Amino acid sequence: MLLALEEARAAAAAGEVPVGAVLLRGGAVVATGRNRMREKADPRRHAELECLDAAWGAGLRGPEAFAGTALYVTLEPCAMCCGALVLDRVPSVVFGAWDEKAGMAGSLHDLLRHARLNHRAEVRGGVLAEECGALLSAFFAGRR
């Protein structure tokens, strides 16, 4: 999660909402990502998708490509990001701050563990939640 926080800080420094993500396999970094919505003028460029795209670019493709990986992200994933994580069959998702407004990994709904989907991830929320939440709070306080 500390590496994801570094990505989130880099996003904040670029004027983006400070969310960062890191994909690990066996403790080794496979890919990283951070919010790039403003940079790319695309509201879909969330940290999780940037990270998954980087993993695809590194050759992780196919139904078993993400086996043994874990995605660490500083904010509870939204519906779009949960959908991508399910489709890529990421087996483990660890997130920091809960998102009571848009979180779909336990707050509003739980898409990552939905019984009717063809893949369910192991989910752990609230890891370094205070640090992750403080970064987001400071960012938005500066915008108000």
Side-chain angles (χ1 to χ4, degrees):
M1 189 60 75
L2 294 174
L3 294 173
L5 274 165
E6 286 180 25
E7 288 294 322
R9 288 185 190 101
E16 301 279 359
V17 174
V19 178
V22 177
L23 186 70
L24 299 175
R25 177 181 279 140
V29 174
V30 174
T32 63
R34 62 179 176 260
N35 275 2
R36 293 179 188 257
M37 295 175 289
R38 293 180 65 138
E39 175 188 332
K40 294 185 175 181
D42 183 345
R44 298 169 299 161
R45 301 322 310 163
H46 289 192
E48 299 94 326
L49 294 184
E50 288 288 314
C51 189
L52 292 174
D53 284 355
W56 275 68
L60 270 70
R61 296 194 176 108
E64 300 302 321
F66 287 86
T69 63
L71 182 93
Y72 287 76
V73 60
T74 57
L75 181 65
E76 180 181 0
C78 70
M80 173 184 69
C81 294
C82 286
L85 291 162
V86 167
L87 291 172
D88 276 340
R89 297 176 182 265
V90 174
S92 178
V93 177
V94 180
F95 66 87
W98 293 89
D99 186 351
E100 299 297 326
K101 294 181 181 178
M104 293 300 247
S107 286
L108 295 178
H109 196 58
D110 195 347
L111 290 178
L112 292 175
R113 294 178 283 200
H114 195 286
R116 295 190 68 190
L117 296 177
N118 65 347
H119 172 77
R120 284 170 291 291
E122 178 182 313
V123 178
R124 184 170 163 215
V127 175
L128 297 180
E130 285 188 31
E131 294 88 338
C132 295
L135 190 57
L136 286 158
S137 294
F139 177 82
F140 286 113
R143 300 251 184 235
R144 292 184 183 128

